[in-house]
Amino acid sequence: MHRIIFGVIAAMLLQAGFIGSALAQGAQPAGQGGGQQGYEGADQSAAGPAGASRPLEMPILYVTGIEVLRSSMDPKIDLIHVTGLVSSVGWSTPQLVPFFYGKPADDVLDLQFIATSPQQSQKAEGFVPVSAMFTLEPGHPYKGVRVRAADNALNLKQLPGSAHADVKADDCKQCMGKKFAEKGKSPAGTANVVREEDLPRGFRTIVPTHGVTGIVHNPNRINLILDENNTIVMAFWE
């Protein structure tokens, strides 16, 4: 079955002249409707003011799988298919980009999994799956593939083959209305509690008495706004 599927994909790639380049597919950009500026943007999934324009190509949050298929006909080509998770809706154009050029000492192709980030901050409504493809030309020198995302990396040591990673971080889709607990302050499985240990790395909590500093926006950082009782009243990705 893999050979049949691969043959169809490879034929399409050859006809389009895409051998040796990255192919990507995934989430569509967030809508750009009009509206007044305010805490909730024109895009109803957004959490920041309308009118912000800061799309950046940057690593996605997690890589979850690598599969490399090899054609059965000569010249043999390898098709790399990678899956991952972005933090929110609004990401677009996922793609695989070589980390560096030239033959590495360990014969492992190092790829970054990147995409174009949303133009506005987005409400935490769950991770969104994306995927991308990269085709290796016949006679390539690589024996394995490593794919890097913002918060993890995944290695495939033998080609062809597959590798998978489990992501256990809380996407905060159900965080609002729950209590935030600092690391070590609440056991796993406690009802109506969001534990620091379960959140993606680099998160930020904002309490009523604290301001915010800096102008750097990170679409892979989740922000939790807390009330006086440490209850989460808003969760959004920058």
Side-chain angles (χ1 to χ4, degrees):
M1 179 63 71
H2 274 177
R3 290 186 176 182
I4 296 174
I5 295 174
F6 183 86
V8 173
I9 295 175
M12 294 173 64
L13 291 172
L14 287 168
Q15 290 178 359
F18 284 154
I19 297 299
S21 64
L23 300 179
Q25 57 190 13
Q28 296 297 316
Q32 302 299 318
Q36 295 182 347
Q37 290 194 3
Y39 188 74
E40 181 172 300
D43 175 4
Q44 293 303 304
S45 295
S53 180
R54 52 174 178 81
L56 300 171
E57 285 190 345
M58 60 187 304
I60 69 166
L61 194 57
Y62 297 109
V63 54
T64 57
I66 305 173
E67 183 178 22
V68 178
L69 302 175
R70 179 166 293 165
S71 65
S72 58
M73 297 185 298
D74 291 329
K76 290 182 171 58
I77 59 174
D78 286 344
L79 179 64
I80 303 171
H81 177 220
V82 181
T83 58
L85 297 172
V86 293
S87 56
S88 68
V89 298
W91 291 77
S92 61
T93 323
Q95 56 186 305
L96 298 167
V97 179
F99 206 68
F100 56 86
Y101 292 91
K103 186 178 182 297
D106 60 0
D107 296 328
V108 174
L109 174 62
D110 217 319
L111 297 171
Q112 294 183 80
F113 199 169
I114 68 172
T116 302
S117 65
Q119 290 192 357
Q120 297 174 238
S121 299
Q122 299 291 320
K123 293 178 183 177
E125 296 180 332
F127 299 141
V128 178
V130 293
S131 65
M133 295 183 183
F134 191 91
T135 306
L136 292 174
E137 295 180 350
H140 67 78
Y142 305 111
K143 297 179 180 178
V145 176
R146 180 183 300 110
V147 180
R148 302 178 190 270
D151 272 16
N152 73 336
L154 186 59
N155 297 314
L156 177 59
K157 297 182 179 180
Q158 185 175 357
L159 305 182
S162 62
H164 301 276
D166 292 326
V167 174
K168 298 180 180 179
D170 189 345
D171 61 12
C172 252
K173 183 178 181 179
Q174 306 294 335
C175 280
M176 288 179 58
K178 296 181 179 180
K179 297 279 189 178
F180 170 75
E182 295 180 352
K183 188 174 182 178
K185 296 294 183 65
S186 180
T190 304
N192 297 316
V193 170
V194 175
R195 304 191 315 150
E196 177 178 343
E197 299 94 317
D198 298 329
L199 291 171
R201 291 186 300 175
F203 73 93
R204 177 169 66 173
T205 56
I206 304 172
V207 300
T209 57
H210 287 184
V212 291
T213 59
I215 59 174
V216 176
H217 294 279
N218 180 2
N220 284 323
R221 178 167 68 174
I222 193 165
N223 287 249
L224 304 178
I225 298 180
L226 311 179
D227 68 8
E228 294 83 355
N229 300 311
N230 264 14
T231 299
I232 300 169
V233 297
M234 173 59 77
F236 65 93
W237 299 90
E238 291 181 8

